[in-house]
Amino acid sequence: MGSWLALLLWCGYWWPRSVAVALLGAGLIAGGAGLQLGTQMLMMRAVLRRRGVPLPSAMIALRAWLSEWRWAWRLFGWQIPFGEHAEPDGVPVDREGMQVQGLVQGQVGVVLVHGYFCNRGVWTVWLRRLKSRGIACMAMTLEPAHGSSVDAMVDDLDRCVKAMVQQTGCAPLLVAHSMGGLVVRAWLKRLDANERARHAAHVVTVATPHGGAWLARFAQRLPAVEMREGSDWLQRLGPPPEDVPFSCWCSSSDNIVFPPDQAVLPNAQRHQVDDAAHMQLLFDPRVWQHCLQLQAQLQGRLQERYQAAEGGASAADAGARACGS
């Protein structure tokens, strides 16, 4: 919002006096995000080189930088400050916009968890696409956003997951970006084995600093301080429970979480790409397709469990009984 205000004031003052100066200043303001992201990219490559980690080519890094710049303007310039509630949570709807309750019971829903300096507005595209495919989905805004521990955000996640389970009767798939993956792990740590079985079918983390973030060394406030490499908080968090499967996505061009190993948990399914930056990875078609396929697999397993026990029931009833079994 500050960038938009600065752009408006600059152009409002200079345009009547000098169009050239107005355009030059507007270009510098618009380029501020690109300069910051470019600096992060250069720092990332320096750290990878120092730690002996293979680097993506300069052309791949350039394309990732440009794409991340575009996403930064779209997300931080519009969706996050102005579109937090643009796309509501929901269950499948028919052509008249009415909820189709029969498709909800027995369905593996999707719970979306945003990262640091974001809110649920970052998931607008995901929510719209999931609902168009008839998949129940929910996203929350984690609060307090600044000045408090990651642990303080767990309650918002807990309420959202329980609301999903109440609607579907099934443990959902959780998809978490960046810091959101740490919130999920802190939440799982609070639950016993039975609660985890009822509330978490699978967790997909995208660019989550499981091993900490090198850039967090410059942070002075919570929760960013807790995301420093080797922080006391990460040490206390410990490994995730073995009874909840994880899939971890990382990228060699991630300008926030690097090296890529920092975004991967031991014993988790590892998915690594070379050509996507931090926010860009969240909208990568490969991540989207993976989550769709995973939701379908989880749904199929529920159906198989029920069909192995009883035959002849409807699909919705079969899923509902499988969830409750």
Side-chain angles (χ1 to χ4, degrees), residues 5 21 24 27 36 59 73 76 80 93-94 152 154 172 188 192 215 248 264 275 294 297 308:
L5 180 60
V21 173
L24 177 61
Q36 178 185 2
M59 185 56 64
W73 268 104
F76 297 102
I80 292 172
V93 297
D94 59 21
V154 168
L188 289 173
D192 60 33
L215 286 174
C248 298
V264 181
D275 55 352
L294 187 54
Q297 291 171 6

Side-chain angles (χ1 to χ4, degrees), residues 259-299:
D261 286 348
Q262 298 293 84
V264 181
L265 286 166
N267 304 319
Q269 299 176 23
R270 180 187 182 116
H271 303 271
Q272 181 170 345
V273 301
D274 294 326
D275 55 352
H278 190 68
M279 299 303 298
Q280 179 189 3
L281 186 60
L282 183 59
F283 302 96
D284 192 292
R286 293 163 291 189
V287 176
W288 167 250
Q289 289 299 325
H290 169 77
C291 292
L292 282 184
Q293 293 169 6
L294 187 54
Q295 190 275 340
Q297 291 171 6
L298 294 171
Q299 191 70 54

Side-chain angles (χ1 to χ4, degrees), residues 2 6 11 35 39 87 91 119 138 186-187 225-226 256 276 313:
C11 291
L35 179 62
T39 301
E87 193 66 37
V91 297
N119 59 31
M138 290 185 178
W187 169 69
V225 170
E226 294 176 334
I256 299 295

Side-chain angles (χ1 to χ4, degrees), residues 27 42 64 109 149 169 189 191 195 216 228 257 279 285 320:
L42 293 175
S149 171
K189 187 178 179 180
L191 308 180
E195 290 173 322
R228 291 176 178 174
V257 181
M279 299 303 298

